[in-house]
């Protein structure tokens, strides 16, 4: 999920860049040297997972999974997402340099929010695990599309309808990401619970 | 999948120091992104194509690379003219085509292509290792550079594991469809990727300890200074600055 | 008999992975003396990799004594200095080669040991040359072939000039040519080593003694008899252990 180059205003681009830099700084501080490889390779997995395509009827969407990454990494998800997005723009030209900050904010801020909102619900009962995972996936995409809409709207008030339309088109993605994240979380808790952080 | 297609050229651009190229791409991209006059945007576009030509990249590959942006632009061209207010260019019954919207579309089109071409000519022409080196010289925190290099290093490995998992699932009769079973399968595959990534990380961390890693990253400096770097940077800054001034005077 | 210098001594080592109630290593004893060229053949999952990781201090045993170069090692910080003297070649080269380019990978160890940049580069280059893989310094590591990666990983280990080598299945996935090369390299080194492999001919070519492992313990020469049958047998040509 990102905004392409050449569309946002200078204010929005710089606001995005400033928030992204601050967030990355906090994230890096929270990664100690014993964990840095873990964050890096989870970022690789996040990158690869975003290449998975899922059918919705005749169409297909790719997974985003910033919700999972947020659950697993907390603030460290910000530098991880920055890394993944930078690599994406190098390899696929999804976005370039000027919108990078805004795109990091769009993807990473919801990831961090979801970590603090839904991680405490995990590990209590298996039904709750799925629900918490679903909510993490659903809300990460909801927040992301809201942020995307806000970025457009701040650029030009005329983008209001476009923003609404974009948020609407993301509704099926929210549901799919919710379902996938729900299953994914139950899977992780079953086969490798150590990967899920214990406390906040 | 992960290829550094443009990284291995012998052009003038390829020989520039990574640091110089990073600074140049930042200056030019932001100047282009902030420019608000169509004519000036065209000048940035010309600069970006000159850089592409200087980097002697395969034209077909470059077009292939920026293809995704055309889809985005198509969407923009459909949405913006009919949703924008402002002076009306054309009207079919209820459908109003906004002149302001069309001008905005033109600007977005040229700017987005320009920024992508700048990135392609200046950044995609270096290996990730050189990028890391350039960022290091620009005082980007070592931890972030390490994340970038390490994450890049293991993408291919993890992608390989994903392909194997998917193949195994397909051999066992898995056909992706629009149903809960398919979603569950993909969720498990994605989950497995994170599990493998985490195990891999443990082993890599152990390997680093075995080779004496002591919480300090050392970066090898294998790029020679070259006086063209300085000239190039002066040229780029001058071009950017004069276009910004041009735009200010225009208004 | 006892004039050999003892380098590594494990006594009564017991280890089980967290969350598992099986003892992967069970009151295990092992001694490696200076100049030893040991081989180890044992089935999958018998704990060979775990044993090597225990020597390196990557797996901390639940009980038992680890003595390396005559010093008893307990905590993480005790192991730090010996890790540069014992070179472990990982089972999967992709775990070991984590730098973007070959040169950086091989120079990683020497840089950590405090060598200057230029010295580290020189060490890396000569080591690669010694192993006959010069000219790939600037290549991207993960795009090398499996065989090349093995040799580069070996170079990365040797660049730290270890006194002992622990090799975890060095020939897995190698073709005959690279395998021969590895045999020549190992036989040309004047160094103590322990090689794990499932490749009988290879082990025979590079070691003087072959051990095995079973239920978390080491079986030494006297207790086992590894051989190759010339007649038809249900194990086929694969070497196996007779008890
Ligand atoms: N990280 C781990 N966590 C839990 N159990 C593990 C872990 N690594 C290995 N084991 C278990 O410990 C046992 C020994 O594993 P080890 O890797 O040492 O065997 P190995 O002899 O090296 O096998 P192979 O020939 O397949 O390499 C196996 O049963 C394995 O399942
Ligand atoms: Mg093993």
């Amino acid at each position: 999920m990102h905004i392409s180059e050449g569309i946002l205003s200078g204010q929005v681009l710089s606001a995005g860049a400033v928030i992204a830099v601050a967030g990355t700084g906090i994230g890096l501080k929270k990664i100690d040297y014993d964990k840095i490889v873990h964050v890096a390779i989870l970022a690789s997995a996040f990158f690869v997972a975003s290449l998975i395509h899922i059918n919705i009827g005749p169409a297909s969407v790719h997974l985003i999974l910033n919700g999972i990454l947020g659950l697993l990494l907390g603030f460290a998800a910000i530098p991880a997402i920055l890394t993944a997005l930078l690599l994406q723009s190098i390899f696929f030209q999804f976005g370039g340099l000027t919108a990078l900050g805004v795109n990091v904010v769009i993807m990473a801020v919801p990831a961090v929010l979801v970590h603090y909102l839904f991680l405490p619900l995990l590990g209590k009962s298996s039904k709750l695990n799925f629900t918490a995972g679903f909510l993490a996936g659903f809300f990460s995409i909801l927040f992301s599309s809201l942020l995307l809409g806000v970025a457009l709207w701040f650029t030009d008030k005329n983008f209001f309808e476009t923003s609404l339309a974009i948020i609407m088109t993301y509704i099926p993605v929210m549901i799919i990401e919710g379902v996938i994240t729900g299953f994914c979380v139950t899977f992780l808790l079953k086969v490798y619970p150590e990967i899920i952080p214990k406390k906040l | 999948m992960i290829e550094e297609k443009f990284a291995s050229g012998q052009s003038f651009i390829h020989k520039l120091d990574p640091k110089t190229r990073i600074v140049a791409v930042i200056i030019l991209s932001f100047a282009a992104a902030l420019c608000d006059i169509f004519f000036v945007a065209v000048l940035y576009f010309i600069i970006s194509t000159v850089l592409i030509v200087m980097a002697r990249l395969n034209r077909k590959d470059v077009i292939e690379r920026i293809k995704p942006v055309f889809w985005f632009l198509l969407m923009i061209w459909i949405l913006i003219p009919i949703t924008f207010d402002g002076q009306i260019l054309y009207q079919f019954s209820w459908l109003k085509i906004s002149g302001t919207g069309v001008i905005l579309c033109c600007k977005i089109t040229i700017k987005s292509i320009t920024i992508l071409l700048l990135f392609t000519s200046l950044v995609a022409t270096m290996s990730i290792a050189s990028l890391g080196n350039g960022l290091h010289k620009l005082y980007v925190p070592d931890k972030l550079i390490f994340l970038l290099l390490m994450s890049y290093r293991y993408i291919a490995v993890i992608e390989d594991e994903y392909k194997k998992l998917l193949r195994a699932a397909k051999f066992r009769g898995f056909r992706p469809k629009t149903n809960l079973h398919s979603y569950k399968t993909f969720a498990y595959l994605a989950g497995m990727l994170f599990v493998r990534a985490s195990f891999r990380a443990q082993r890599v961390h152990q390997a680093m300890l075995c080779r004496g890693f002591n919480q300090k990253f050392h970066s090898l400096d294998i790029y020679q200074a070259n006086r063209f770097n300085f000239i190039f940077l002066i040229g780029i800054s001058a071009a950017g600055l004069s276009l910004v001034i041009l735009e200010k005077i225009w208004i | 008999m006892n004039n050999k210098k003892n380098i590594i001594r494990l006594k009564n080592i017991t280890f089980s992975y967290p969350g598992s109630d099986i003892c992967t290593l069970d009151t295990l004893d092992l001694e490696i003396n200076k100049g030893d060229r040991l081989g180890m053949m044992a089935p999958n999952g018998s704990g060979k990799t775990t044993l090597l990781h225990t020597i390196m201090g990557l797996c901390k045993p639940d009980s038992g004594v680890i003595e390396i170069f005559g010093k008893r090692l307990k905590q993480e910080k005790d192991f730090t200095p010996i890790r540069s003297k014992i070179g472990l070649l990982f089972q999967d080269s992709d775990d070991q080669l984590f730098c973007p380019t070959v040169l950086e990978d091989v120079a990683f160890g020497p840089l950590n040991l405090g060598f200057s940049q230029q010295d580290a580069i020189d060490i890396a280059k000569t080591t690669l040359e010694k192993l006959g893989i010069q000219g790939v310094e600037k290549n991207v590591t993960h795009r090398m072939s499996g065989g090349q990666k093995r040799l580069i990983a070996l170079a990365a280990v040797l660049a730290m000039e270890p006194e002992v080598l622990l090799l975890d299945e060095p020939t897995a996935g190698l073709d005959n040519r690279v395998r021969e090369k590895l045999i020549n390299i190992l036989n040309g080194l004047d160094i103590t080593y322990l090689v794990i492999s499932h490749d009988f001919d290879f082990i025979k070519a590079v070691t003087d003694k072959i051990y095995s492992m079973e239920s978390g313990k080491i079986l030494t020469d006297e207790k086992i008899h590894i051989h190759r049958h010339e007649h038809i047998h249900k194990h086929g040509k694969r070497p196996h252990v007779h008890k």
Side-chain angles (χ1 to χ4, degrees):
Chain A
M1 177 183 286
H2 20 43
I3 290 189
S4 292
E5 296 294 338
I7 187 161
L8 296 176
S9 68
Q11 284 100 319
V12 175
L13 291 177
S14 21
V18 168
I19 301 174
V21 167
T24 305
I26 298 173
L28 289 177
K29 262 240 168 80
K30 295 219 168 188
I31 306 173
D32 63 31
Y33 284 95
D34 288 339
K35 270 279 166 250
I36 192 160
V37 184
H38 188 250
V39 176
I41 304 187
L42 285 193
S44 326
F46 171 69
F47 182 105
V48 173
S50 73
L51 303 171
I52 301 179
H53 279 261
I54 300 248
N55 299 331
I56 332 183
S60 88
V61 292
H62 69 89
L63 292 181
I64 300 173
L65 297 189
N66 53 340
I68 283 276
L69 200 68
L71 284 178
L72 298 181
L73 294 181
F75 268 99
I78 302 175
I81 286 174
L82 167 64
T83 303
L85 290 186
L86 188 58
L87 290 172
Q88 279 188 347
S89 40
I90 291 171
F91 294 117
F92 305 126
Q93 202 57 296
F94 287 169
L97 202 63
T98 62
L100 186 62
V102 174
N103 284 324
V104 167
V105 172
I106 289 177
M107 298 272 276
V109 168
V112 177
L113 285 177
V114 148
H115 180 89
Y116 289 97
L117 287 176
F118 301 114
L119 189 66
L121 302 182
L122 287 182
K124 300 215 165 91
S125 79
S126 58
K127 223 187 233 151
L128 192 60
N129 287 343
F130 181 85
T131 315
F134 178 88
L135 293 174
F138 184 90
F139 277 100
S140 59
I141 304 300
L142 176 64
F143 293 152
S144 289
S145 54
L146 288 177
L147 283 170
L148 197 152
V150 166
L152 285 174
W153 187 61
F154 275 166
T155 293
D156 192 325
K157 299 291 174 273
N158 268 313
F159 275 128
F160 188 70
E161 289 162 44
T162 312
S163 305
L164 275 188
I166 290 176
I167 296 171
M168 293 307 194
T169 56
Y170 272 108
I171 290 176
V173 180
M174 292 170 206
I175 297 170
I176 289 192
E177 286 271 326
V179 172
I180 299 264
T181 309
F183 282 131
C184 199
V185 165
T186 30
F187 175 83
L188 291 176
L189 282 166
K190 213 177 296 162
V191 306
Y192 187 43
E194 294 90 331
I195 197 174
I196 309 238
K198 288 273 141 43
K199 289 181 296 210
L200 294 180
Chain B
M1 173 220 39
I2 300 299
E3 281 178 276
E4 293 171 287
K5 227 184 214 159
F6 302 121
S8 57
Q10 281 301 318
S11 73
F12 170 73
I13 302 265
H14 285 92
K15 286 188 186 128
L16 288 173
D17 187 329
K19 183 176 82 179
T20 310
R21 284 189 263 170
I22 297 168
V23 174
V25 80
I26 292 174
I27 294 178
L28 283 178
S29 306
F30 277 95
L34 299 182
C35 124
D36 208 27
I37 293 171
F38 184 72
F39 171 69
V40 181
V42 171
L43 294 179
Y44 283 110
F45 176 71
I46 292 172
I47 296 182
S48 70
T49 36
V50 168
L51 288 173
I52 289 277
V53 172
M54 275 167 78
R56 291 204 234 132
L57 301 177
N58 181 330
R59 227 161 290 164
K60 252 215 214 117
D61 287 344
V62 173
I63 291 171
E64 188 64 31
R65 184 178 160 84
I66 61 172
K67 231 189 209 159
V69 85
F70 291 129
W71 292 108
F72 159 75
L73 291 173
L74 185 69
M75 198 182 77
I76 292 280
W77 276 97
I78 294 170
L79 272 177
I80 290 185
I82 56 170
T83 56
F84 259 58
D85 297 334
Q87 161 236 359
I88 287 162
L89 197 68
Y90 224 83
Q91 182 158 13
F92 316 94
S93 68
W94 55 274
L95 197 68
K96 300 188 195 87
I97 297 205
S98 144
T100 336
V102 170
I103 294 174
L104 183 66
C105 282
C106 293
K107 271 193 274 185
I108 290 178
T109 305
I110 197 112
K111 274 158 70 173
S112 60
I113 294 179
T114 301
I115 295 170
L116 295 192
L117 289 181
L118 288 171
F119 195 81
T120 306
S121 59
L122 293 171
V123 180
T125 46
M126 60 178 116
S127 65
I128 300 282
S130 324
L131 178 64
N133 197 272
L135 292 173
H136 175 75
K137 282 197 233 152
L138 293 169
Y139 306 105
V140 170
D142 280 346
K143 270 186 182 171
L144 189 60
I145 296 171
F146 180 82
L147 279 181
L148 182 74
L149 297 179
M150 190 63 109
S151 173
Y152 162 69
R153 165 68 182 86
Y154 286 98
I155 283 176
V157 175
I158 303 233
E159 200 208 0
D160 238 32
E161 292 182 346
Y162 171 64
K163 281 188 183 147
K164 277 186 209 148
L165 288 171
L166 187 64
R167 210 178 307 139
K170 288 196 167 156
F171 280 153
R172 290 194 285 154
F174 171 60
R175 298 278 167 278
K177 292 201 194 81
T178 307
N179 58 25
L180 210 55
H181 172 70
S182 298
Y183 293 173
K184 196 171 176 174
T185 309
F186 276 119
Y188 288 179
L189 286 179
M192 204 59 209
L193 287 187
F194 285 109
V195 172
R196 299 245 176 130
S198 179
F199 278 132
R200 173 79 63 183
Q202 283 169 21
R203 297 195 303 266
V204 172
H205 181 66
Q206 291 177 332
M208 288 174 69
L209 292 179
C210 285
R211 284 203 273 149
F213 174 67
N214 43 14
Q215 318 217 325
K216 200 173 156 3
F217 299 114
H218 304 271
S219 171
L220 280 188
D221 205 1
I222 32 186
Y223 303 91
Q224 274 114 28
N226 156 348
R227 75 197 149 88
F228 289 114
N229 286 312
F230 188 62
I231 299 173
F232 180 77
L233 207 52
I234 295 284
I236 290 293
S237 314
L241 193 66
S242 49
L243 287 183
V244 171
I245 291 172
L246 178 69
E247 193 175 341
K248 291 291 165 233
I249 294 172
W250 209 284
I251 302 165
Chain C
M1 173 79 208
N2 256 342
N3 52 359
K4 275 193 183 165
K5 209 175 126 210
N6 188 261
I7 299 186
I8 295 174
R9 173 185 284 155
L10 303 188
K11 271 190 95 143
N12 281 326
I13 296 288
T14 304
F15 175 82
S16 45
Y17 280 99
S20 144
D21 41 359
I22 305 162
C23 288
T24 308
L25 306 180
D26 186 9
T27 56
L28 173 144
D29 294 313
L30 172 72
E31 270 187 35
I32 300 179
N33 296 317
K34 194 165 173 56
D36 274 356
R37 304 187 330 144
L38 300 175
M40 160 97 68
M41 275 183 84
N44 291 123
S46 52
K48 305 180 294 295
T49 301
T50 311
L51 171 66
L52 298 191
H53 284 202
T54 307
I55 296 175
M56 297 302 283
L58 302 171
C59 296
K60 298 285 178 333
D62 305 322
S63 64
V65 178
I66 304 178
E67 266 179 35
I68 295 177
F69 302 117
K71 257 196 236 121
R72 194 168 164 186
L73 309 177
K74 286 178 196 154
Q75 293 156 324
E76 177 67 19
K77 68 172 184 356
D78 302 336
F79 283 96
T80 319
I82 66 102
R83 283 188 188 136
S84 56
K85 299 201 189 108
I86 301 182
L88 169 61
L89 185 75
F90 278 60
Q91 189 163 356
D92 181 349
S93 315
D94 274 325
D95 293 340
Q96 196 152 24
L97 301 174
F98 44 78
C99 296
T101 63
V102 172
L103 188 68
E104 281 167 290
D105 242 320
V106 181
F108 182 86
L111 282 173
N112 285 330
L113 291 181
F115 284 98
S116 75
Q117 268 209 23
Q118 198 47 52
D119 288 348
I121 292 177
D122 289 344
I123 292 173
K125 283 191 172 155
T126 25
T127 316
L128 285 166
E129 214 163 293
K130 254 192 241 158
L131 299 189
I133 33 174
Q134 57 274 58
V136 297
E137 289 88 354
K138 283 199 173 170
N139 288 27
V140 176
T141 326
H142 73 250
R143 248 180 262 133
M144 309 300 284
S145 76
Q148 284 171 315
K149 277 189 206 165
R150 281 267 99 168
L151 292 177
I152 295 163
L154 185 60
V157 169
L158 289 178
M160 299 184 71
E161 304 203 334
E163 293 176 35
V164 187
L165 272 181
L166 306 173
L167 308 167
D168 200 345
E169 301 195 20
T171 58
L174 296 190
D175 69 15
N176 263 331
R177 202 174 42 88
V178 186
R179 190 170 154 276
E180 289 299 318
K181 195 165 169 181
L182 203 58
I183 291 176
N184 289 334
I185 292 170
L186 285 178
N187 283 332
L189 287 174
D190 183 22
I191 193 170
T192 311
Y193 56 76
L194 168 64
V195 188
I196 290 175
S197 177
H198 297 294
D199 175 347
F200 183 67
D201 293 334
F202 173 76
I203 283 221
K204 223 177 137 203
V206 297
T207 64
D208 308 322
K209 254 193 272 181
I210 305 181
Y211 291 175
S212 184
M213 268 184 90
E214 195 187 85
S215 42
K217 290 188 175 59
I218 296 213
L219 307 175
T220 47
D221 263 352
E222 302 86 59
K223 296 181 203 134
I224 55 167
H225 174 47
I226 299 183
H227 63 172
R228 188 147 114 179
H229 291 251
E230 299 302 334
H231 58 261
I232 296 174
H233 188 290
K234 98 172 194 288
H235 294 287
K237 263 178 100 174
R238 295 200 34 209
H240 51 274
V241 179
H242 278 224
K243 285 166 250 164

